[in-house]
Amino acid sequence: MCGIMGYIGDREASGILVGGLRRLEYRGYDSAGLATLVNGQIDIRRTVGKLDNLSKLLLEKPLAGSIGIGHTRWATHGKPSEENAHPHRAGRVVVIHNGIIENYLELRSELQGLGRTFSSETDTEVISQLIDEHLNQGMNLEAATRAAIARLQGSFAIVVLCEDDTTRLYCAKTATPIVIGLGEGENFIASDVPALLDHTRRVLFLEDGELAEVTRDAVRVTTFDGTLVTREPRQITWDPITAQKGGFKHFLAKEINEQPQAMIDTMLGRIRQEEGDVSLPELAALDLDWNRFSRIYITACGTAWHAGLVGKFILEELTRIPVEVDYASELRYRRPIMGPDTLLIAISQSGETADTLAAVEEARSHGASVLSICNAVEASIPRRANAVLYTHAGPEISVASTKAFTTQLTALYLLAIHAGRQLGRLDEQRGRALVHDLVNLPSLVQETLGRSKQIEKIAKKYGHSRDFLYLGRGINYPIALEGALKLKELSYIHAEGYPAGEMKHGPIALIDEQLPVVVLLPGDAMYPKTLSNLKEVEARGGRIIAITDAPTADLEEIAWEVITVPKTNHLLTPILLTIPLQLLAYDIAIYRGTDVDQPRNLAKSVTVE
Ligand code: G6P
């Protein structure tokens, strides 16, 4: 996730670009940069870190010009540094980019073979180099941009500025967003609506596979193959605050709804569907011979720890290596039995959680290898790990974790499939089926998000309750814990997650007519067992709220509410069953009027013990 911004008009571009980037800084702030065009010459300013650093530099070294592009970066390929900051220049062209070019290594070596030299480690630079290469072959800017795009695999939103043409910008996109703001004698390009609202409310959303030529007075949209597209502009009626939240009332709602895209971003460039495999070149640094590991530890805190508990099921199933899961705050103090045959997987959204970092140090001191699953690029935990698997979920702003969790699970699936295949314990046929189901999962998550109206009603009906019980079994027991945690964090209602089969050993004493019991009930081999646990709840008057992909008549008879989710592979059910629990916690928080994005007493990143 990065923020991109373009301007063409009569006013000075740099102030407008920085103003727009400020509204896009939520998309990343590892570095920032601007490029403008004056008298046929492109001039660039770039700085590491937040936009403020760039603003300071611009005070010392201003940029003139009324056509330009700007970028705020969330690092994916290449560390946050000035060289890796956008815009990226090659010859007469500069490019800004949001997304990931999957085949950049191949393109880079091809271009190097033509004698081109690269000045950054980014995937983006291949785009400017390709365009410049085509310009040198005599193409005009539009043809050169189209020819470059035709070579790109992956996701991108780009804006291109060239010294040859002072009257136009080009932008194009696949899976990442671009919106064009329409002014009077000026036009704007941005990743998101908030960046435009100081200037205009008339916008044109670019669709996947489209390229736009943007001049001061006009916008011409075509498909990548050149067919003209006519689209009516839309009028934005949101206020600026709602706009930052993508039209949602809270960041939490936005992040819950972003999950299908975030999961796609986690998988991007890693899926080998034909071979039933997953490619994770980033593990090369770990010199990862899976046969070396006789045990795996997973460590994390909070929601990430729940992802670890699910990870145990997936990894043990697909690799047959024993997995232990520990709270980081426990692991760091308990002299764990670890050695060079141990792999520690440290899961963290922020990459800064103090206990998780300390557990990593503890594992390293025992000679274990450390793999970090992390969202924030170049944070402390990934820096201390031997290898990193980034989730690429984009910044998570709401304190309660949602998209970070489902993308951590996605990363664990990728890892387990990869390891299972390497070890020869997962055959090609099953690998292919798993990969196929994983690739289909984002659209099933989207379908599950469609249950929001039903869940809103359920929230209003049960939102006054004092306690909630969440039940799950096997791979979905951790999801019961996560559901209970979301409710506690967001609505301050006491909630407990329990394994369904264990209920009779204690929690059953809590059940009365006041207690909602949320149960996760995938249609697997344990379905009849969990159903009989539910009969025990029903007999004591508990109000059953069932979340299932198998709504049988037996269940309908005893449950007060049944929320159905689509069917998927048993191993993948935790992701789908999580979605209604997130929505339920959100809606109950709204009903009770709590501070959804910043619940009391909590912090997003806990950097103290
Ligand atoms: C805090 C946050 C939780 C998060 C946990 C671990 O408690 O409020 O949402 O799950 O820290 O954070 P990490 O960044 O390591 O995933």
Side-chain angles (χ1 to χ4, degrees), residues 477-547:
Y477 159 52
I479 304 306
L481 296 177
E482 174 61 10
L485 178 65
K486 283 288 91 82
L487 189 71
K488 274 184 275 208
E489 288 179 313
L490 291 169
S491 69
Y492 318 146
I493 295 177
H494 169 251
E496 264 193 76
Y498 236 78
E502 188 65 15
M503 185 191 62
K504 54 189 172 293
H505 299 292
I508 199 163
L510 299 173
I511 294 172
D512 61 16
E513 295 80 22
Q514 309 305 320
L515 186 76
V517 179
V518 180
V519 62
L520 304 167
L521 203 68
D524 58 17
M526 298 310 284
Y527 189 91
K529 305 261 179 220
T530 311
L531 205 59
S532 40
N533 299 142
L534 291 186
K535 295 229 163 96
E536 295 155 12
V537 173
E538 191 226 0
R540 286 154 186 87
R543 310 280 154 99
I544 296 168
I545 301 170
I547 303 174

Side-chain angles (χ1 to χ4, degrees), residues 80-402:
S81 67
E82 199 181 315
E83 302 74 55
N84 290 335
H86 300 219
H88 285 287
R89 180 178 194 138
R92 290 116 76 197
V93 177
V94 279
V95 170
I96 49 175
H97 166 221
N98 169 27
I100 294 173
I101 305 303
E102 293 174 18
N103 58 336
Y104 83 104
L105 285 175
E106 181 191 318
L107 293 172
R108 193 178 165 106
S109 62
E110 182 185 318
L111 288 157
Q112 281 166 333
L114 296 173
R116 294 195 153 257
T117 49
F118 281 73
S119 52
S120 79
E121 303 158 331
T122 64
D123 52 340
T124 304
E125 199 183 341
V126 298
I127 308 174
S128 47
Q129 295 273 5
L130 270 174
I131 297 174
D132 190 56
E133 182 63 29
H134 291 306
L135 286 174
N136 287 349
Q137 288 164 11
M139 290 185 193
N140 66 20
L141 182 59
E142 178 169 342
T145 305
R146 284 185 194 282
I149 285 171
R151 300 292 316 279
L152 305 179
Q153 287 165 17
S155 70
F156 56 84
I158 57 169
V159 189
V160 183
L161 173 66
C162 177
E163 287 182 344
D164 294 351
D165 197 337
T166 56
T167 61
R168 68 202 76 220
L169 290 167
Y170 285 96
C171 59
K173 81 166 220 98
T174 55
T176 41
I178 284 194
V179 54
I180 301 170
L182 307 172
E184 295 293 325
E186 58 182 2
N187 285 312
F188 309 81
I189 301 167
S191 297
D192 202 353
V193 172
L196 305 173
L197 292 185
D198 285 343
H199 309 289
T200 180
R201 285 174 180 256
R202 276 182 73 228
V203 305
L204 204 66
F205 287 96
L206 215 57
E207 298 290 341
D208 289 353
E210 290 178 352
L211 173 142
E213 178 193 65
V214 181
T215 62
R216 283 172 177 78
D217 303 306
V219 175
R220 181 174 56 93
V221 180
T222 51
T223 58
F224 286 172
D225 62 16
T227 314
L228 193 66
V229 175
T230 21
R231 179 168 307 129
E232 279 303 305
R234 280 178 46 190
Q235 193 72 23
I236 297 292
T237 51
W238 313 332
D239 63 72
I241 297 294
T242 315
Q244 275 183 48
K245 295 172 184 159
F248 290 97
K249 229 170 138 191
H250 298 100
F251 282 110
L252 185 73
K254 175 170 179 266
E255 286 156 13
I256 289 174
N257 280 279
E258 271 172 2
Q259 288 178 108
Q261 183 62 51
M263 288 168 62
I264 292 171
D265 290 343
T266 307
M267 288 185 236
L268 212 70
R270 291 168 168 168
I271 296 291
R272 298 285 167 263
Q273 203 148 5
E274 275 300 295
E275 298 97 306
D277 207 343
V278 164
S279 116
L280 299 174
E282 51 272 74
L283 300 194
L286 195 55
D287 190 15
L288 211 71
D289 174 9
W290 286 91
N291 286 300
R292 189 156 59 93
F293 300 122
S294 61
R295 89 168 62 201
I296 298 174
Y297 275 84
I298 301 180
T299 198
C301 302
T303 289
W305 181 71
H306 295 153
L309 291 177
V310 177
K312 172 184 165 75
F313 281 87
I314 313 165
L315 282 160
E316 286 190 342
E317 167 81 19
L318 301 182
T319 69
R320 308 309 298 158
I321 301 174
V323 181
E324 272 197 55
V325 189
D326 254 333
Y327 282 119
S329 54
E330 294 290 324
L331 183 76
R332 63 183 290 192
Y333 291 118
R334 77 168 177 85
R335 291 186 60 221
I337 301 162
M338 289 180 170
D341 64 337
T342 310
L343 173 66
L344 176 86
I345 303 175
I347 308 175
S348 173
Q349 187 287 129
S350 63
E352 299 295 346
T353 303
D355 285 323
T356 312
L357 185 58
V360 165
E361 299 299 354
E362 175 70 18
R364 291 190 66 130
S365 74
H366 292 276
S369 299
V370 177
L371 168 63
S372 151
I373 294 181
C374 189
N375 192 31
V377 174
E378 294 280 329
S380 303
I381 295 169
R383 281 209 310 272
R384 288 299 293 146
N386 301 87
V388 195
L389 199 55
Y390 284 116
T391 51
H392 300 309
E396 193 181 61
I397 292 166
S398 189
V399 169
S401 187
T402 52

